[in-house]
């Protein structure tokens, strides 16, 4: 009888024991892209802030390759105990799953789950400083006058930037040419030089150039972008229903205990509420934006449906 009572007491205490055990060692935060960009800055900021909250070191590891899928695969194959997380992005969680022709080492929709969102990265349409275009209607007029002649840049096929411009084409019935580059910086260099017409891009990576005047911002992809540029109009003013943005957050292998999910949610929420964190994010063109696990997973499903529609309508395939 005493043995049975002991077992029953242990089972009752198990949730508390599990909560106390996490985290019991250093935490790895994997990020699938190179150091230096706004995502890397946000990842390191989050790691430094949650480390004292969780009582363990949080180390960021940049594992680049395959549009962020090298890091996603490593995260998906790690034990579902919360000690390995992925600093995830819109692209490697919601676009790659919808892009035909892409060989996936991991299926993020099935093998990973959202833990919490940290920030939203706003988008805008930029042109060269000496471009004759001063508003979205100037670009649309030029495209209608010379179908198939106006080019727009992106950092690669299937990027958020690519799909944002395809969405613009679909909503306006215009014919413009996609010019993919190997990354954002080569694309922006050609925008600045006037070799290519425009790009709809992440303001987190371009806010400095816009403020310095080497790029000219003529339209915003979503209302939160007006936090930084209140005098620049929304693209949706002239193209009803147009919206584009991206986000940064934490993802993890499916199967995490609810107690671990809750611990991560609380830590990220507290980090996002820190004034110094909010200030640093804003400096880098990111809007502090917390969302819990359920909300982030719902957003990812919504994103996948949106991108699926754009991809199918444009017949986009990975190359």
């Amino acid at each position: 009888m005493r043995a049975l009572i002991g077992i029953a007491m242990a089972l009752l205490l198990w949730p508390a024991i599990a909560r106390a055990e996490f985290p019991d060692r250093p935490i790895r935060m994997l990020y699938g892209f190179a150091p230096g960009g706004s995502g890397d800055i946000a990842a390191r900021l989050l790691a430094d802030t949650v480390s004292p909250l969780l009582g363990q070191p949080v180390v960021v590891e940049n594992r680049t390759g395959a549009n962020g899928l090298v890091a996603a695969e490593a995260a998906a194959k790690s034990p579902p105990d919360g000690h390995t997380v992925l600093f995830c992005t819109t692209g490697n969680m919601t676009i790659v799953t919808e892009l035909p022709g892409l060989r996936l080492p991991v299926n993020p929709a099935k093998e990973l789950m959202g833990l919490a969102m940290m920030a939203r990265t706003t988008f805008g349409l930029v042109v060269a400083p000496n471009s004759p275009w001063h508003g979205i209607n100037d670009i649309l007029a030029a495209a209608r006058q010379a179908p198939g002649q106006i080019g727009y840049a992106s950092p690669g096929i299937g990027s958020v930037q690519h799909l944002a411009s395809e969405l613009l084409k679909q909503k306006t019935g215009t014919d413009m040419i996609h010019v993919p580059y190997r990354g954002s910086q080569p694309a922006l260099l050609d925008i600045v030089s006037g070799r290519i017409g425009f790009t709809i891009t992440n303001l987190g990576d371009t806010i400095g150039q816009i403020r310095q005047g080497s790029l000219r911002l003529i339209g915003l992809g979503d209302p939160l972008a007006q936090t930084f540029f209140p005098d620049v109009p929304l693209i949706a003013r002239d193209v009803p229903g147009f919206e584009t943005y991206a986000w940064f957050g934490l993802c993890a292998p499916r199967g995490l205990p609810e107690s671990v999910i809750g611990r991560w949610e609380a830590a990220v929420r507290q980090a996002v509420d820190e004034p110094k964190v909010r200030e640093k994010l804003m400096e880098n063109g990111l809007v502090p934006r917390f969302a819990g696990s359920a909300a982030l997973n719902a957003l990812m499903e919504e994103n996948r449906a949106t991108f699926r529609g754009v991809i199918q309508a444009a017949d986009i395939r990975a190359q």
Side-chain angles (χ1 to χ4, degrees):
M1 179 61 72
R2 289 180 180 177
L4 290 174
I5 292 173
I7 292 171
M9 291 297 294
L11 290 173
L12 288 172
L13 292 172
W14 172 246
I17 295 171
R19 282 193 295 274
E21 288 179 350
F22 174 79
D24 61 4
R25 58 187 183 276
I27 295 166
R28 296 190 306 158
M29 185 182 292
L30 306 178
Y31 181 57
F33 302 93
S38 58
D40 183 69
I41 291 170
R44 295 178 186 280
L45 179 62
L46 181 61
D48 290 344
T49 309
V50 300
S51 180
L53 300 177
L54 295 173
Q56 290 288 345
V58 180
V59 180
V60 176
E61 295 182 18
N62 296 85
R63 293 202 180 187
T64 61
N67 294 318
L69 290 180
V70 170
E73 181 182 20
K77 291 182 176 179
S78 65
D81 58 13
H83 289 91
T84 299
V85 293
L86 175 71
F87 193 77
C88 49
T89 70
T90 306
N92 66 7
M93 289 300 296
T94 68
I95 294 178
V96 296
T97 60
E98 311 307 319
L99 198 59
L102 193 64
R103 292 187 177 183
L104 299 179
V106 58
N107 188 332
K110 295 181 178 179
E111 299 177 60
L112 293 165
M113 59 168 288
L115 284 179
M117 183 196 297
M118 178 196 191
R120 188 152 133 177
T121 175
T122 59
F123 274 59
L125 191 153
V126 295
V127 297
N130 60 351
S131 170
W133 301 328
H134 294 274
I136 186 65
N137 284 330
D138 293 338
I139 295 176
L140 299 179
R144 291 180 177 121
Q145 185 174 357
Q149 300 300 308
I150 303 299
Y152 69 88
S154 86
I157 293 172
S159 60
V160 179
Q161 292 90 330
H162 176 200
L163 299 185
S165 294
E166 286 295 330
L167 179 62
L168 179 66
K169 286 171 54 179
Q170 291 170 18
K171 285 192 171 295
T172 58
T174 50
D175 179 12
M176 295 182 279
I177 300 300
H178 176 220
V179 182
Y181 288 76
R182 292 179 179 271
S184 294
Q185 288 311 308
L188 293 172
L189 286 173
D190 274 6
I191 295 290
V192 172
S193 68
R195 294 190 189 96
I196 191 77
F198 72 92
T199 187
I200 299 176
T201 192
N202 173 7
L203 295 185
D205 289 337
T206 55
I207 194 166
Q209 291 167 282
I210 294 167
R211 287 174 172 166
Q212 292 164 10
S214 57
L215 288 170
R216 182 152 52 83
L217 179 66
I218 64 173
L220 300 175
D222 74 292
L224 288 186
Q226 292 184 313
T227 302
F228 307 106
F229 301 102
D231 297 328
V232 178
L234 293 173
I235 296 173
R237 184 190 68 178
D238 300 306
V239 184
F242 182 89
E243 183 180 46
T244 185
Y245 62 88
W247 48 263
F248 292 122
L250 283 185
C251 294
R254 288 190 178 272
L256 260 65
E258 288 296 325
S259 60
V260 175
I261 295 172
R263 187 81 190 275
W264 268 115
E265 284 181 323
V268 176
R269 181 192 292 273
Q270 192 169 341
V272 173
D273 284 342
E274 288 280 347
K276 290 183 179 179
V277 171
R278 299 179 71 85
E279 181 181 354
K280 187 68 173 178
L281 289 173
M282 295 286 285
E283 283 177 5
N284 287 278
L286 302 174
V287 180
R289 201 73 164 180
F290 173 80
S293 179
L296 178 54
N297 284 299
L299 176 62
M300 287 194 290
E301 286 303 316
E302 179 183 321
N303 289 164
R304 289 179 189 121
T306 298
F307 291 131
R308 187 183 311 128
V310 175
I311 288 167
Q312 290 175 352
D315 193 24
I316 299 170
R317 294 186 62 84
Q319 294 183 355

